[in-house]
């Protein structure tokens, strides 16, 4: 829904988009482009959380001489910036393939469609691997990283609005006297952080989606600035808030589960390490 609202035409509001997708593509339309992100989300998330945590530890060691020291707000912010920059290298190709698959609005059927068809609505890619191979053949490595500047402008502030609010909300709702936040506190803080982050990210997420969707059937935008200018000239300021509701609603449960899983796994591994090396 987010991609269709941001980069598609004629979907209107969220409810209309839901009805249009269901009417034209049935339930399978809501799961387009899911396989590639699903296969890579573990690697992507482990890199982002790993870079964030290790950067924090490095800064604590540098400033206080103890990697386990509580990080300052400045340390968390800097660690978030580094995580945002690193995430773009892994995330851009995944996002590109997902959006290209979502923006070809008809299912691929081998018997009645030519793969070189470029008419809007006709399928271009058979699946994620074919999509990736086709982009590499036609556009090379730069094609795989199409929209990387917009994604950088999205993820760098986005991860600051992700990790910093999480730490603040987690600390705020943790009962006084508790050594560590309980699972409920982690879940709520993670969900709030996700919603806040996606609210901050949405304007540049719109630009990124449009740049990456551009190329399925035509090439309309020359770059990030051109995409922003054309979008504003054609649709006004409101265009940069397309998909805001979907992003924030999606951001809460997904981020709540992400942070809860991360914290519980971290505690389990630390407990296992302490039992192995008393």
């Amino acid at each position: 829904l987010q991609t269709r609202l941001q980069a598609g035409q004629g979907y209107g509001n969220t409810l209309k988009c839901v009805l249009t997708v269901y009417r034209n593509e049935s339930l399978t339309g809501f799961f387009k482009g899911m396989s590639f992100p699903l296969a890579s989300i573990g690697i992507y998330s482990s890199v982002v959380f790993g870079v964030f945590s290790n950067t924090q530890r490095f800064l604590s060691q540098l400033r206080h001489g103890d990697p386990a020291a509580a990080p300052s707000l400045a340390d968390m912010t800097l660690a978030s910036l580094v995580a945002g920059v690193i995430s773009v290298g892994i995330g851009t190709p995944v996002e590109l393939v997902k959006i290209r698959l979502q923006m070809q609005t008809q299912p691929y059927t081998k018997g009645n469609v030519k793969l070189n068809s470029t008419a809007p609505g006709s399928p271009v890619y058979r699946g994620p691997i074919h999509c990736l191979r086709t982009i590499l053949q036609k556009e090379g490595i730069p094609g795989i990283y199409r929209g990387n500047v917009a994604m950088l402008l999205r993820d760098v502030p986005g991860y600051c609005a992700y990790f910093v609010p999480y730490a603040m909300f987690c600390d705020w709702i943790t009962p006084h006297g508790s050594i560590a936040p309980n699972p409920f506190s982690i879940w709520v803080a993670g969900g709030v952080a996700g919603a806040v982050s996606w609210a901050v990210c949405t304007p540049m997420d719109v630009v990124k989606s449009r740049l990456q969707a551009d190329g399925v059937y035509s090439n309309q935008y020359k770059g990030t600035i051109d995409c922003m200018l054309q979008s504003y000239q054609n649709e006004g300021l409101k265009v940069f808030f397309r998909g805001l509701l979907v992003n924030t609603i999606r951001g809460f449960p997904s981020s709540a589960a992400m942070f809860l899983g991360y914290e519980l796994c971290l505690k389990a591994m630390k407990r296992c390490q302490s039992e192995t090396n008393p």
Side-chain angles (χ1 to χ4, degrees):
L1 295 179
Q2 167 233 358
T3 302
R4 300 289 179 89
L5 286 167
Q6 292 178 343
Q9 298 293 329
Y11 289 102
N13 56 36
T14 304
L15 179 59
K16 185 181 177 182
C17 184
V18 171
L19 295 175
T20 302
V21 172
Y22 180 74
R23 184 171 58 249
N24 295 338
E25 304 166 56
S26 73
L27 284 175
T28 58
F30 296 104
F31 296 93
K32 276 192 174 180
M34 184 183 71
S35 59
F36 203 39
L38 194 62
S40 59
I41 187 65
I43 297 172
Y44 177 80
S45 298
S46 64
V47 169
V48 169
F49 277 82
V51 167
F52 173 75
S53 298
N54 283 291
T55 302
Q56 272 193 335
R57 290 174 62 84
F58 171 76
L59 292 172
S60 294
Q61 175 68 43
L62 197 64
R63 294 176 188 272
H64 311 293
D66 180 11
S72 65
L73 180 61
D75 290 347
M76 283 191 290
T77 303
L78 184 55
S80 301
L81 292 174
V82 174
V85 171
I86 298 299
S87 73
V88 174
I90 302 172
T92 303
V94 176
E95 290 273 309
L96 178 69
V97 171
K98 181 194 75 170
I99 286 175
R100 290 288 178 93
L101 291 172
Q102 289 174 341
M103 288 308 295
Q104 56 170 15
T105 56
Q106 299 296 326
Y108 170 76
T109 51
K110 200 168 184 179
N112 58 10
V113 174
K114 294 180 180 179
L115 286 177
N116 61 0
S117 174
T118 55
S122 60
V124 179
Y125 312 113
R126 290 194 294 262
I129 302 302
H130 180 258
C131 179
L132 195 62
R133 189 170 65 244
T134 303
I135 295 170
L136 276 171
Q137 289 172 348
K138 291 184 177 180
E139 306 171 52
I141 297 297
I144 291 295
Y145 284 91
R146 183 175 179 83
N148 62 341
V149 174
M151 192 163 178
L152 190 68
L153 294 174
R154 182 196 74 171
D155 283 2
V156 169
Y159 276 115
C160 286
Y162 189 60
F163 288 113
V164 175
Y166 167 72
M168 294 174 65
F169 275 104
C170 212
D171 183 63
W172 181 54
I173 63 178
T174 298
H176 291 290
S178 297
I179 299 174
N182 58 48
F184 179 74
S185 297
I186 294 170
W187 187 85
V188 172
V192 171
V196 170
S197 176
W198 274 111
V200 170
C201 285
T202 295
M204 285 312 302
D205 191 45
V206 172
V207 177
K208 180 202 70 71
S209 295
R210 292 189 163 207
L211 281 168
Q212 293 185 327
D214 190 40
V216 178
Y217 302 114
S218 62
N219 288 290
Q220 180 181 353
Y221 307 115
K222 297 175 183 177
T224 304
I225 301 298
D226 183 53
C227 179
M228 293 171 69
L229 290 174
Q230 284 197 47
S231 298
Y232 175 73
Q233 288 168 358
N234 294 333
E235 301 171 63
L237 195 61
K238 65 181 181 180
V239 69
F240 298 109
F241 298 94
R242 278 192 176 188
L244 177 63
L245 180 63
V246 173
N247 277 343
T248 50
I249 291 175
R250 177 190 69 171
F252 190 99
S254 62
S255 296
M258 186 79 72
F259 274 106
L260 182 59
Y262 170 74
E263 295 286 5
L264 292 179
C265 287
L266 205 60
K267 287 179 182 179
M269 287 187 285
K270 285 180 179 179
R271 187 167 58 248
C272 183
Q273 187 177 21
S274 64
E275 291 173 357
T276 306
N277 302 304

